[in-house]
Amino acid sequence: MNAKNLEVNSLSQKIAPFEELKSSQLPPSGWVAAIRSALNMTMAQLGRKMGISRQAVSQLEAREAAGSISLQNLREAAEALDMHLVYAIVPKDGTLEDYVEKRAKALAHEIISSANQQMSLENQMVNEERAAYMVKEIASELVRKVDRKLWD
């Protein structure tokens, strides 16, 4: 296993705890407003803890609900609520390794299809079984390297 594979594997392990959170729904008003409300804290009280006005808290909550809040502002609000900000970027389906493998197979298929098309013009086309084997081999090599070509 090379350094890139180790990096992918290490990140997959760090991402794993967040996998089940992909299906959870965010509160419509955003986390800050929902937690503040659950704690029965007013905007003015949160503002005092953050060193900002009630109006600034209202704007912060509106930006979070709209998806335009900065991580720094969210981190500051979490701190004022005596909470931790936790965030992650996780694959839509499966693991990070699955994603790399899926992309490698697609690229390998493109490579073989292109080569096979060129070979067909010369009447030297590879049969389906051989093409499938070649796709598997090329994909395996791309995964082994976590090749930059995967993202072109």
Side-chain angles (χ1 to χ4, degrees):
M1 192 175 274
N2 67 23
K4 276 293 164 199
N5 291 103
L6 289 172
E7 187 177 355
V8 168
N9 184 272
S10 174
L11 278 172
S12 279
Q13 290 176 9
K14 289 177 181 178
I15 289 170
F18 296 95
E19 286 294 318
E20 65 187 60
L21 296 176
K22 286 192 298 191
S23 61
S24 65
Q25 297 292 318
L26 299 176
S29 60
W31 288 109
V32 175
I35 291 171
R36 180 185 56 72
S37 175
L39 296 175
N40 203 23
M41 182 185 287
T42 67
M43 286 185 189
Q45 289 169 323
L46 179 57
R48 277 194 299 279
K49 291 184 83 168
M50 293 181 71
I52 61 177
S53 69
R54 188 204 72 72
Q55 292 82 1
V57 170
S58 177
Q59 291 170 352
L60 180 142
E61 290 180 355
R63 285 194 317 273
E64 183 193 3
S68 61
I69 192 169
S70 73
L71 286 174
Q72 182 60 34
N73 286 154
L74 202 51
R75 189 175 289 114
E76 290 167 359
E79 185 65 30
L81 290 165
D82 202 24
M83 304 281 162
H84 291 282
L85 172 64
V86 179
Y87 74 98
I89 297 174
V90 297
K92 291 178 181 177
D93 297 309
T95 65
L96 202 52
E97 288 101 336
D98 294 338
Y99 177 67
V100 169
E101 188 173 321
K102 178 181 171 184
R103 186 65 194 120
K105 284 179 181 175
L107 179 57
H109 190 272
E110 287 175 27
I111 291 167
I112 294 301
S113 292
S114 177
N116 214 15
Q117 184 176 16
Q118 188 67 25
M119 291 171 75
S120 73
L121 296 173
E122 300 167 5
N123 216 14
Q124 298 175 353
M125 207 166 146
V126 176
N127 68 33
E128 286 185 36
E129 185 177 317
R130 178 74 178 143
Y133 173 78
M134 292 169 74
V135 165
K136 184 178 175 185
E137 289 298 308
I138 291 170
S140 177
E141 183 66 16
L142 290 168
V143 167
R144 190 181 67 73
K145 291 181 180 180
V146 188
D147 200 302
R148 288 187 174 148
K149 293 175 190 168
L150 292 172
W151 320 119
D152 288 336

